[in-house]
Amino acid sequence: MKHLGKALAVAAFMLATSAQAEIRFGVVNEAYAPYTTKDASGKAIGWEIDLMDAICKELKEQCTIVDVSWDGLIPALESKKIDVIWSSMSITDERKKRIDFTDKYYSALAGMIGARDGVIGATAEQLKGKTVGIAVSTTQSAYFKKHFSDIATEKSYATVDESFQDLASGRVDYIFADTGPLKELLKTDLGKECCEYKGSVEADDAVLGAGVGGGVRKGDDELREKLNGAIKAVRANGTYAEFSKKYFDYDPY
C-alpha cells in the first residue's frame, strides 16, 4: 500500500506538471492574413502560427490554440481561458493598464487603402469629408479618433474583411488597418481591380504602440520571460528569418 501511495503521488505530480506545461494561445477567430488564417480543413496557419510553433518547439512545451473574437481576447486572458494573446496585438500604454506584454515580435505599420483613382496619401487633407472603415477596438480606431475625427467619418466593422466589401462597392472611401493585411487584400482579384495602397499614416507610438507582442496576465512574469527568451532564441538561430521568407520580402521585426 505504501508503494501504491507513492506511485499515485508520482502520477499525480506528472499529470499536474503536464497540465502546467500546456500553453493556451488565444488567436482571433477571423482571417487576418498573412499573420493568421485557416486552411480548407480549418487548421490555423499563417506567420504568427509559424512563430508560435517555433517558440513552443524552443520551449519544448505543448501549445494549443483557442479561437477568440478580437474584442474578447483580453477578457479571455483575464478570466484564464487562455494564457497568452497571440493575435497581432500592438503594445500600447492603454492596454498595459490591464495586461502585460512580451517583447515585440514584429513591427506593425498602419496604413490605408482606397479606390484606384491615383490619388495617393493618407493625410488629413486627403481624408477631409471622407468615410473610413475601421475594425472595432483597434489601435487604428484610437488613432482616427485622435487625429481625424474632426474632418472625417469613422465607420466601424467587426473585421477588416467586412470593411473591404464596403470599400469595393463604394460605401466607404478608405480602410484603415495594419499594412500587412491590407496588402494581402490588394493581392486578391477584387483588390487588384478596385483598390490601391494610399500610404502609411504619421507615426504616433502613444496610440499605435511600439510593435506587436504577446499579451499575458498581469504578474505572470514567469511565462512572459519564458516567451521573451524563446523569441530571442528563434531570432538568433535563424528560424524566424527562415519562415518569414514565406510571407515577406523584408524582416518584419
Side-chain angles (χ1 to χ4, degrees):
M1 289 295 291
K2 184 176 180 180
H3 291 300
L4 178 60
K6 185 180 289 186
L8 290 172
V10 171
F13 174 78
M14 291 179 67
L15 182 62
T17 302
S18 174
Q20 290 168 1
E22 181 181 75
I23 304 174
R24 297 165 300 169
F25 284 71
V27 175
V28 73
N29 58 0
E30 64 185 71
Y32 201 65
Y35 302 109
T36 56
T37 186
K38 291 186 178 180
D39 64 15
S41 70
K43 179 184 176 182
I45 57 173
W47 183 88
E48 275 184 293
I49 305 304
D50 285 358
L51 176 60
M52 181 198 76
D53 289 341
I55 283 172
C56 294
K57 183 178 180 181
E58 179 69 28
L59 292 174
K60 297 180 174 60
E61 300 271 14
Q62 179 181 346
C63 298
T64 58
I65 292 174
V66 180
D67 285 346
V68 187
S69 64
W70 171 256
D71 57 1
L73 283 167
I74 291 179
L77 181 68
E78 292 175 325
S79 62
K80 298 186 178 182
K81 293 177 181 177
I82 59 175
D83 302 305
V84 55
I85 295 170
W86 204 253
S87 275
S88 295
M89 184 167 281
S90 296
I91 303 166
T92 67
D93 290 342
E94 187 64 27
R95 287 174 177 150
K96 284 181 181 179
K97 294 175 182 177
R98 293 181 64 180
I99 65 174
D100 289 336
F101 282 94
T102 67
D103 293 339
K104 175 191 79 171
Y105 59 74
Y106 84 83
S107 298
L109 299 176
M112 297 195 186
I113 60 174
R116 185 178 290 280
D117 57 10
V119 179
I120 303 301
T123 65
E125 182 180 352
Q126 274 86 27
L127 267 65
K128 189 173 183 179
K130 304 296 185 181
T131 300
V132 183
I134 308 174
V136 296
S137 302
T138 58
T139 54
Q140 288 80 32
S141 180
Y143 186 101
F144 181 92
K145 289 176 174 63
K146 180 177 178 179
H147 294 279
F148 300 129
S149 61
D150 58 335
I151 52 94
T153 301
E154 176 181 10
K155 186 172 181 181
S156 298
Y157 294 87
T159 69
V160 175
D161 281 356
E162 285 182 16
S163 65
F164 183 57
Q165 298 300 319
D166 274 5
L167 175 64
S169 60
R171 287 189 286 269
V172 296
D173 302 297
Y174 292 88
I175 298 174
F176 184 26
D178 284 345
T179 298
L182 290 180
K183 290 191 173 181
E184 288 297 309
L185 290 173
L186 293 179
K187 292 177 184 178
T188 65
D189 290 340
L190 180 58
K192 292 174 184 176
E193 179 183 342
C194 77
C195 310
E196 64 187 353
Y197 188 68
K198 297 299 186 179
S200 300
V201 298
E202 290 187 14
D204 184 345
D205 286 354
V207 180
L208 293 177
V212 166
V216 298
R217 280 184 291 279
K218 281 284 186 184
D220 197 351
D221 297 335
E222 182 180 356
L223 177 58
R224 180 170 56 83
E225 288 308 314
K226 282 169 60 174
L227 292 169
N228 283 343
I231 291 168
K232 289 175 183 175
V234 299
R235 285 279 298 164
N237 65 23
T239 304
Y240 183 102
E242 188 59 34
F243 68 73
S244 292
K245 290 176 184 176
K246 296 189 297 182
Y247 304 93
F248 311 108
D249 56 5
Y250 59 89
D251 181 358
Y253 192 79

